[in-house]
Amino acid sequence: MSGSNGRRPPLVADRRYGAPAAKKTTSKGGGGGRGAKPPPKSTPRRRPRKRDPLSAAVAWVLGLIWGIVMFFWRILWGVGWRIAAVVGLVLGLSAYYFYSQLPEVTQLVDGRARGSVTMLDREGKVFAWRGETYGGLVTSDKVSDHLREAVVATEDRRFYRHFGISPRGIASAVRINLAEGRGPLEGNGGSTITQQVAKLLCLGVQYDPQQWKSEADYEADCRRGGIWRKVKEVPFSLAMEAKYTKAEILTIYFNRAYLGAGARGFEAAAQRYFGKSASQVNAAEAAMLAGLLKAPSYYAPTANLQRARDRANVIIGLMEEQGYLTRAEAEQARRNPAQLSEAAQSRSGGFFADWVMESGPAFLTRDTTEDVIIRTTLDQRLQKAAEGALADVFKSKVSEGSKAQAAVVVMSADGAVRAMVGGRKLEAAGSFNRATQALRQTGSAFKPFIYAAAMDLGYSPADFVDDSPLTVMVKGSGPWTPANYDRKFRGIVTLTAALKQSLNIPAVRITEAVGRDKVRQVASEFGIQSNLAAGPALALGVSEATLIEMTGAYAGILNGGSAVKPYGLVELRLQGEDTPLIGQEGGIGERVISEQAAQLLTYMMTEVINSGTGTRARLPDREAAGKTGTTQAARDAWFVGFTADYVAGVWMGYDDNTPLKGVTGGGLPAEIWREVMVRVHEGAPPAPLRKIVPEPRLPPQSTADVRTEPVPQDTGDWQAARPRDTGDWQAAPRQPSAGEQIVRDVLGIFGGGRN
């Protein structure tokens, strides 16, 4: 039902929700018809929520901060991309500059400022190097695969994937350095192989002798770290990566890297340590060579072989980890570590090589700018014999911890040095050489020169001399009274007995009889270079000499009385040249005493070993002659002697002149000499010494109670050793003049004089 006005009454629901009244609609068919649209539903109004003041404040602050950040970000971005552009431009220009300066690879492989010296023994085998050895150009594709892989695995595993620098490697190095308490760029540098090559090239700076005191200072400057150096490495490394291939960069690295013991480059190092080319090294050898890159001198196998092997095992592990070696190959390399060549084991030829370097001109040896080859007199078998003998005697006869030193020289009769030991330990090149540099008093080892002068003036080993108290008036000093070592006197003795028992008083009497000037002349012409004492104490060996001088002087007795100049250098030439620049400068020189005098003296010196002070030096299968020597307070002990083949000298003492305890020349030095000579003569047939056995003489008649020397036993063949320059050995000796007889009588020397 509808109202009178035609409106529908509101529904209850409409009233309940406060729905607005329906709008009046019209239509052609009248209001309220089907065509009328229903009124839209009304939406309830939401009450506004009250905002939290704290939240509003936080939101405002965060908005402010974000606005500030964005403000500065826009500034930084604007400045940053401009700075980056400038840095990029500078980096590019720097790299282009270095790129334009880089030469061809072949001009960079040998960067030495000094040359090298390679020494060959008497058989032409290499035994030593000096200076900086460069083995010649070796390209990265020609070296052993093991070597190339070992270097990459050790130094730069991402070498083939980066463009010269490795940000990841630098970040890792900084992290390690900081973790170990170092500065960010101290210690591990994170350098790629390319950056290491940049250092080796000193960033293109050439060596200038005017700017650096030495090449070592120059290289130290090149290796200097720091931020600025790292910054400069970047464009240089980029330039190299653009200029050269990876293989060419490796080639520079393989040729310029220093690998210890004076070896520049892997070819020189492979030859130096293993006696083979870098193209032939196996996995264990390659790992040892690659291990040297971290610290060449510290890990050099010639310095400490076990330390070098331990480092090599680390490298083998890296090669296995990175897939260059299988597990079986790695185990094989560990079980068969690298072995040094014989030349490497000799520690660069030791003292002998040092002596040879000193004997040549400096511009061709120590300071050479060329590669030099020196052929020498060294016999490596004899060298090992001398070293081994000395070590064994000290091990078995000397208390552990003793600081006593010793030296040994072995040479031929012409002065060619075959072996040299300058100290108990085989030390680094340039160490103090006690065989050539130590001037020590000679003691009784000097006495053969006294008797050499006497024999040359016509005395006989069978002549007699008085071993009784003697006082000599010394001008400016007063009376001087010598004594024998044992403080005893033996009366009338032969010259042979006086020498073999090393009696001092007879030596003084003979010196005064023949004249001190004559004795000094004979000693100096035989090769004793130092100033010889002027007074009568000359006879007791107070003058100084080196072991090589004494050994060379005894070689003059062995060769028949001619002086020798000890030598080790046979010829010197430039590498690749056939014509020697320097030849042999030593050898046999002028005659000092007659051959007859030398052979008579040789006989006297054989008696020293047969029944005198040198019996401990007696050899089991051959004749030998020699002389002991002990100085005052036993500060020096000597034994020098010879066989028909070699002459050898041994000195023993302390570097600080501390007296030896219980050691004389007839003791440990004689035993060392014997052990050296036994080993030196292994396999050599015995040969007799050239000597003259003197005609026996009757002692002079005397009322004094004197001891006489027994007449030498007649062996039946002594006449065969008579002088060949006289046909009348039995002829009566020339009678001395009245003046000579007075001198002899005063000095207590008796005999037949000249034969």
Side-chain angles (χ1 to χ4, degrees):
M1 178 183 292
S2 62
S4 58
N5 56 1
R7 294 182 178 179
R8 182 177 58 86
L11 298 177
V12 175
D14 293 336
R15 291 195 306 267
R16 181 181 302 150
Y17 294 107
K23 292 182 180 181
K24 185 186 293 185
T25 58
T26 59
S27 65
K28 293 181 179 180
R34 292 182 178 179
K37 294 182 179 181
K41 294 181 179 181
S42 64
T43 302
R45 292 184 179 181
R46 294 180 181 178
R47 294 180 180 180
R49 296 175 60 185
K50 292 183 179 180
R51 196 168 185 179
D52 185 1
L54 180 61
S55 299
V58 170
W60 183 85
V61 170
L62 291 176
L64 178 62
I65 293 174
W66 177 253
I68 294 173
V69 169
M70 291 303 296
F71 173 77
F72 283 106
W73 169 252
R74 292 187 186 95
I75 295 176
L76 290 175
W77 172 256
V79 174
W81 75 262
R82 289 173 174 81
I83 293 176
V86 172
V87 170
L89 179 62
V90 172
L91 184 63
L93 291 175
S94 300
Y96 177 77
Y97 169 78
F98 287 128
Y99 177 91
S100 64
Q101 299 295 316
L102 288 172
E104 295 297 321
V105 171
T106 54
Q107 299 179 37
L108 298 176
V109 292
D110 185 3
R112 298 172 301 159
R114 293 180 56 205
S116 65
V117 177
T118 302
M119 298 187 200
L120 312 178
D121 65 11
R122 64 184 303 188
E123 297 178 352
K125 297 179 180 178
V126 175
F127 75 91
W129 298 265
R130 288 293 185 272
E132 292 188 355
T133 306
Y134 175 60
L137 173 63
V138 56
T139 59
S140 61
D141 60 331
K142 294 295 178 64
V143 301
S144 163
D145 290 342
H146 291 306
L147 180 56
R148 183 172 54 254
E149 293 162 355
V151 170
V152 172
T154 306
E155 297 297 314
D156 188 0
R157 66 176 63 190
R158 289 182 289 273
F159 173 70
Y160 292 104
R161 299 193 297 274
H162 62 62
F163 50 88
I165 58 174
S166 175
R168 186 193 304 181
I170 295 174
S172 177
V174 170
R175 177 179 56 80
I176 293 173
N177 292 334
L178 292 176
E180 295 181 357
R182 297 189 296 262
L185 297 179
E186 297 176 359
N188 291 287
S191 296
T192 65
I193 287 178
T194 309
Q195 287 176 282
Q196 293 181 50
V197 173
K199 288 182 179 180
L200 291 174
L201 298 178
C202 206
L203 303 180
V205 178
Q206 299 296 321
Y207 173 64
D208 183 1
Q210 303 298 325
Q211 184 175 354
W212 287 279
K213 294 181 180 179
S214 66
E215 188 180 4
D217 292 337
Y218 162 74
E219 292 189 351
D221 181 73
C222 293
R223 291 191 298 268
R224 182 168 49 85
I227 296 177
W228 179 240
R229 177 67 57 142
K230 284 290 183 185
V231 169
K232 291 175 68 176
E233 282 179 12
V234 173
F236 198 91
S237 299
L238 294 175
M240 284 195 298
E241 290 281 346
K243 181 83 172 183
Y244 310 125
T245 65
K246 293 287 188 180
E248 288 174 330
I249 292 173
L250 276 180
T251 293
I252 301 172
Y253 194 46
F254 284 170
N255 284 272
R256 289 190 72 120
Y258 179 69
L259 298 167
R264 285 283 180 180
F266 282 93
E267 179 65 19
Q271 295 285 356
R272 172 70 182 85
Y273 299 124
F274 310 125
K276 60 175 66 173
S277 171
S279 63
Q280 300 172 327
V281 295
N282 58 33
E285 294 164 342
M288 184 174 286
L289 291 175
L292 295 170
L293 291 166
K294 182 176 182 180
S297 298
Y298 183 76
Y299 288 113
T302 49
N304 189 316
L305 181 58
Q306 187 56 51
R307 186 163 57 206
R309 286 175 172 172
D310 292 341
R311 173 65 179 164
N313 286 336
V314 174
I315 309 305
I316 291 170
L318 292 174
M319 295 174 71
E320 180 184 4
E321 177 186 318
Q322 297 176 39
Y324 293 119
L325 293 176
T326 65
R327 184 175 182 179
E329 290 171 335
E331 287 300 320
Q332 173 75 7
R334 293 188 186 99
R335 286 195 302 267
N336 299 277
Q339 301 289 336
L340 292 178
S341 66
E342 290 187 7
Q345 292 177 20
S346 70
R347 304 282 184 95
S348 295
F351 299 102
F352 179 87
D354 289 343
W355 174 62
V356 170
M357 289 288 287
E358 293 294 330
S359 65
F363 70 93
L364 287 175
T365 54
R366 301 181 298 279
D367 302 324
T368 180
T369 56
E370 304 289 339
D371 290 324
V372 174
I373 306 294
I374 297 179
R375 188 161 61 88
T376 73
T377 60
L378 183 73
D379 187 314
Q380 293 199 62
R381 185 186 71 81
L382 271 60
Q383 179 69 28
K384 291 178 181 178
E387 292 172 358
L390 180 62
D392 288 349
V393 172
F394 263 84
K395 183 177 181 180
S396 60
K397 300 293 180 68
V398 180
S399 59
E400 187 177 355
S402 172
K403 295 183 179 179
Q405 279 292 346
V408 179
V409 172
V410 180
M411 68 174 64
S412 301
D414 65 347
V417 177
R418 303 303 182 189
M420 178 182 290
V421 183
R424 288 173 58 188
K425 294 182 179 180
L426 301 179
E427 302 175 28
S431 300
F432 181 67
N433 189 339
R434 296 162 188 84
T436 62
Q437 295 175 305
L439 276 169
R440 309 296 294 230
Q441 286 190 348
T442 58
S444 293
F446 183 82
K447 288 175 181 173
F449 308 126
I450 300 171
Y451 292 94
M455 295 303 105
D456 197 48
L457 289 176
Y459 289 81
S460 167
D463 281 342
F464 292 85
V465 63
D466 188 5
D467 178 27
S468 60
L470 172 69
T471 297
V472 179
M473 295 301 296
V474 180
K475 187 177 181 180
S477 298
W480 175 70
T481 303
N484 292 323
Y485 182 78
D486 58 5
R487 304 293 175 178
K488 297 179 181 180
F489 304 99
R490 291 161 180 79
I492 302 299
V493 296
T494 64
L495 270 60
T496 299
L499 180 62
K500 80 176 186 178
Q501 295 177 37
S502 200
L503 302 179
N504 289 337
I505 294 174
V508 175
R509 291 185 185 274
I510 297 295
T511 300
E512 297 301 303
V514 303
R516 297 172 203 164
D517 289 342
K518 175 65 175 178
V519 173
R520 280 196 296 268
Q521 177 186 349
V522 168
S524 62
E525 289 181 359
F526 267 132
I528 306 302
Q529 302 294 324
S530 61
N531 293 327
L532 298 172
L538 168 73
L540 304 187
V542 297
S543 303
E544 295 179 331
T546 64
L547 178 61
I548 196 168
E549 287 175 350
M550 290 292 288
T551 310
Y554 276 52
I557 302 171
L558 172 61
N559 69 32
S562 296
V564 301
K565 180 181 179 181
Y567 69 98
L569 188 153
V570 177
E571 70 172 28
L572 181 151
R573 56 183 173 82
L574 297 181
Q575 189 173 41
E577 299 290 336
D578 296 327
T579 304
L581 297 179
I582 297 176
Q584 175 183 322
E585 293 186 350
I588 296 179
E590 299 293 328
R591 177 165 294 281
V592 179
I593 60 175
S594 68
E595 186 173 358
Q596 177 180 325
Q599 293 182 13
L600 287 168
L601 180 58
T602 298
Y603 160 75
M604 298 172 69
M605 295 172 69
T606 60
E607 291 300 293
V608 173
I609 291 180
N610 291 338
S611 57
T613 58
T615 54
R616 291 192 186 182
R618 191 182 302 159
L619 299 177
D621 61 345
R622 67 194 69 229
E623 275 190 314
K627 184 67 186 75
T628 58
T630 309
T631 62
Q632 187 177 13
R635 289 184 172 86
D636 303 277
W638 303 73
F639 192 91
V640 188
F642 50 83
T643 64
D645 301 302
Y646 297 106
V647 56
V650 175
W651 167 86
M652 185 175 173
Y654 287 95
D655 288 338
D656 61 359
N657 273 326
T658 299
L660 294 162
K661 295 181 180 180
V663 177
T664 64
L668 280 175
E671 293 186 37
I672 294 170
W673 186 91
R674 179 187 184 279
E675 191 63 30
V676 168
M677 289 304 235
V678 166
R679 300 186 186 199
V680 161
H681 288 88
E682 283 182 0
L689 284 167
R690 297 174 60 194
K691 66 181 186 298
I692 295 175
V693 180
E695 178 187 5
R697 307 266 174 112
L698 292 175
Q701 295 298 319
S702 173
T703 59
D705 182 14
V706 298
R707 298 175 59 186
T708 60
E709 177 69 8
V711 176
Q713 296 295 316
D714 186 357
T715 60
D717 61 354
W718 64 271
Q719 296 187 17
R722 296 173 183 169
R724 298 180 180 179
D725 58 352
T726 176
D728 188 12
W729 173 254
Q730 301 290 343
R734 179 185 69 82
Q735 295 299 318
S737 66
E740 291 174 335
Q741 189 61 54
I742 292 174
V743 172
R744 292 190 180 191
D745 290 342
V746 170
L747 294 174
I749 300 170
F750 316 95
R754 297 175 177 83
N755 291 315

